[in-house]
Amino acid sequence: MSKNRFLVHLAAVGMIVAAIVPAGAQSRAAPPPYAASPDLPDGWGYNSFERSRAVAPSAGRADNRPIWRNRGLFSSSSARPEADAYPRWDRPMEPRRSTVRPPAARAPAVRRAYAPAAPQRQTARRPKREFDPAFLPTEVAYDGTEAPGTIIIDTPSRYLYLVEPGGTARRYGVGVGRPGFQWAGEHRVTRKAEWPEWRPPAEMRKRQPGLPTMMPGGPRNPLGARALYLGSTLYRIHGSNEPWTIGHAVSSGCIRMRNQDVEDLYARVDVGTKVIVN
């Protein structure tokens, strides 16, 4: 075969191949370009597990709908894309509706003027009332002429003495009549009573209208635990539930003692004992 003939045959074969191959070879070598969706920003990166939306050429589709393609591990031309979780950059974002309810209207706060705290009233503290130990019972010397067993009351010094044998006397502190109710004289013990009832005389109830006509004996009774009645008078030597008054002139004429002291005296004397009040 001559060279020229060979070239003719080669050219004929090339023309036949060119007529048959171009469509398929061109599609495999250079696929048609894909148009980026307007929903995707420039530089959108594809992840193998994320779905992207690429629009293939719409030739041959009557409805001109884009073909959604999945670029993940499991591809399916019929798969639909999931909702886009990212904002679309090419369109304005809609304002998000707040689900928080506005707070209820409140009355305007009233600004109060500062007022300093009122100073606390300084109340005078009443001194604690205590029994003066100077009036506790004690043994003292006695050089008088009265016989043992005699009771001597020294009103100015607020002491009661019980004369004892051997030139001694037992001394007790007492409370005496306030000014205008003090008295002096000599009497005898005509009666003794334990936890006596109290019957204020009419004169006392007239001066103090709130007094009862009779109060039974007991710890609240002003006559205390014991009473020694003096003759036919209204005066007595009696106990008291107010021991802090011993040593003071506070009574209406009676001689008062601490309850424990009058109990001791009560046990040492008998009815008929001589009582001298100075």
Side-chain angles (χ1 to χ4, degrees):
M1 181 181 298
S2 65
K3 184 177 181 180
N4 291 334
R5 253 181 109 178
F6 174 78
L7 293 175
V8 170
H9 285 290
L10 182 61
V13 172
M15 292 177 62
I16 295 172
V17 171
I20 298 174
V21 173
Q26 185 180 2
S27 62
R28 288 192 300 269
Y34 287 92
S37 171
D39 294 339
L40 298 179
D42 293 339
W44 179 263
Y46 292 101
N47 185 283
S48 59
F49 291 97
E50 295 176 347
R51 297 182 178 181
S52 61
R53 288 176 285 185
V55 181
S58 57
R61 297 183 61 90
D63 54 2
N64 199 26
R65 290 179 301 170
I67 299 176
W68 297 92
R69 296 188 182 277
N70 189 295
R71 300 297 296 270
L73 294 180
F74 305 95
S75 300
S76 174
S77 60
S78 62
R80 302 296 296 175
E82 297 178 355
D84 193 355
Y86 298 90
R88 300 181 180 181
W89 295 0
D90 59 341
R91 59 180 67 175
M93 296 181 61
E94 296 182 0
R96 304 181 71 178
R97 294 183 179 181
S98 175
T99 59
V100 180
R101 295 183 179 181
R106 298 180 179 178
V110 179
R111 189 182 296 273
R112 297 181 178 180
Y114 170 76
Q120 296 183 354
R121 296 181 60 184
Q122 298 293 334
T123 56
R125 298 184 62 182
R126 179 180 296 180
K128 187 177 181 180
R129 297 177 292 185
E130 296 180 349
F131 173 73
D132 188 348
F135 296 98
L136 288 170
T138 185
E139 293 286 338
V140 296
Y142 176 71
D143 58 357
T145 60
E146 298 297 334
T150 302
I151 294 176
I152 302 172
I153 298 173
D154 187 356
T155 300
S157 63
R158 276 69 159 168
Y159 284 117
L160 181 150
Y161 298 89
L162 174 61
V163 179
E164 295 180 331
T168 61
R170 187 168 181 81
R171 188 183 73 183
Y172 303 88
V174 296
V176 298
R178 60 184 180 270
F181 293 87
Q182 296 177 355
W183 59 278
E186 182 178 323
H187 297 279
R188 297 273 178 178
V189 175
T190 55
R191 178 173 171 246
K192 295 169 63 177
E194 297 182 4
W195 296 105
E197 64 182 22
W198 181 42
R199 295 181 182 274
E203 297 83 354
M204 183 179 290
R205 284 189 280 109
K206 186 176 181 180
R207 294 192 302 269
Q208 303 178 42
L211 294 178
T213 56
M214 191 279 290
M215 178 181 288
R220 298 174 61 87
N221 192 303
L223 299 185
R226 304 288 187 271
L228 304 174
Y229 294 83
L230 305 179
S232 59
T233 69
L234 298 176
Y235 303 123
R236 290 149 293 207
I237 301 172
H238 62 80
S240 174
N241 51 22
E242 298 175 341
W244 56 87
T245 63
I246 303 304
H248 301 279
V250 292
S251 74
S252 297
C254 289
I255 308 301
R256 61 174 62 180
M257 306 173 70
R258 291 194 312 168
N259 279 332
Q260 52 267 53
D261 294 345
V262 77
E263 289 176 359
D264 182 72
L265 179 66
Y266 185 94
R268 295 175 184 269
V269 301
D270 297 320
V271 173
T273 298
K274 184 179 180 180
V275 178
I276 302 172
V277 180
N278 296 325

